[in-house]
Amino acid sequence: MKRIFYYALVMFLPLLAACSDNSTNDFPTTEQMRQAVSNMKGNYTGKADVYLIENGIAQESTTVENVTWTADESITINNFPVASLAAGVLSNNELKTAMANYTTTQSLPLNYIYCYSAETNNYAFSLQPSTIQCTMEFGGLTHTVRIEFVEYPGYSYVKGTNSTQTIQVVINNIFVDNVATQLQPMGVTFTSTNKTALSTDL
């Protein structure tokens, strides 16, 4: 099922940051990657733009303000905007309503899996998103809702400088009690407006 979804998103690739630079065969050195991870470290505040993807094109987005995340050994979105994903639910109106009204804070860990740029004062990494699992009440029952993301390099990435950061993830599937829900592809782009040092930084 995921393979079919990848084919459906092929046209969406031009909208995403490429995972490598075809004009050069140079790859970041170990020291450059170490420095890039060091540059990423910090606490970020910003916004999330959530959008449907139709025929490979990102549609008009909904913006969620005051999203925070931390970059250290991995990146963790502290308050992922679960409620905004209701727009992509196509066939389950009870789930759509429950998700739109969902207010419980959910985190999303993102692991670095591939560094494709580590020039001075900028970086770009592909990411591997974790799965979000939460419970929602609808239809008189408590349901387990699982949100899965595309892990293919190029769909999930982080790029930035010493002071700014942009993250993109693409939603792959939503399951209710292990049953897939019909979903229109969606993307979320996080853009920082402020960065502060980690509490452990000197």
Side-chain angles (χ1 to χ4, degrees), residues 85-110:
L85 303 187
V89 176
L90 299 177
S91 60
N92 189 332
N93 288 332
E94 289 184 327
L95 170 63
K96 190 179 186 77
T97 299
M99 185 168 282
N101 294 322
Y102 190 78
T103 58
T104 304
T105 300
Q106 290 289 334
S107 63
L108 174 64
L110 303 161

Side-chain angles (χ1 to χ4, degrees), residues 33-179:
M33 287 188 283
R34 185 201 66 77
Q35 186 60 51
V37 171
S38 177
N39 290 349
M40 273 191 279
K41 289 184 177 182
N43 297 305
Y44 295 83
T45 301
K47 64 176 183 174
D49 293 310
V50 185
Y51 44 90
L52 299 172
I53 302 167
E54 185 173 346
N55 297 322
I57 303 298
Q59 304 301 301
E60 183 176 351
S61 64
T62 298
T63 300
V64 179
E65 301 288 352
N66 299 316
V67 179
T68 64
W69 61 94
T70 299
D72 196 355
E73 299 307 317
S74 63
I75 296 173
T76 300
I77 309 295
N78 299 317
N79 51 339
F80 185 87
V82 170
S84 298
L85 303 187
V89 176
L90 299 177
S91 60
N92 189 332
N93 288 332
E94 289 184 327
L95 170 63
K96 190 179 186 77
T97 299
M99 185 168 282
N101 294 322
Y102 190 78
T103 58
T104 304
T105 300
Q106 290 289 334
S107 63
L108 174 64
L110 303 161
N111 294 317
Y112 313 134
I113 59 173
Y114 178 65
C115 179
Y116 57 92
S117 177
E119 301 173 9
T120 303
N121 194 38
N122 72 67
Y123 55 82
F125 280 75
S126 290
L127 299 173
Q128 182 180 47
S130 301
T131 296
I132 292 177
Q133 184 164 298
C134 48
T135 56
M136 296 185 189
E137 304 279 345
F138 57 91
L141 297 171
T142 300
H143 300 275
T144 299
V145 177
R146 189 171 77 250
I147 301 165
E148 294 187 347
F149 300 83
V150 177
E151 296 183 1
Y152 191 80
Y155 291 100
S156 298
Y157 65 81
V158 57
K159 57 184 179 179
T161 68
N162 289 345
S163 59
T164 64
Q165 192 170 82
T166 299
I167 301 169
Q168 178 179 275
V169 294
V170 175
I171 290 80
N172 188 7
N173 287 303
I174 295 180
F175 292 85
V176 178
D177 301 328
N178 293 320
V179 177

Side-chain angles (χ1 to χ4, degrees), residues 5-53:
F5 184 81
Y6 291 160
Y7 280 110
L9 283 180
V10 166
M11 292 180 63
F12 187 51
L13 276 170
L15 299 177
L16 310 179
C19 282
S20 62
D21 185 348
N22 293 329
S23 64
T24 178
N25 292 320
D26 294 333
F27 292 95
T29 65
T30 300
E31 175 58 27
Q32 285 175 319
M33 287 188 283
R34 185 201 66 77
Q35 186 60 51
V37 171
S38 177
N39 290 349
M40 273 191 279
K41 289 184 177 182
N43 297 305
Y44 295 83
T45 301
K47 64 176 183 174
D49 293 310
V50 185
Y51 44 90
L52 299 172
I53 302 167

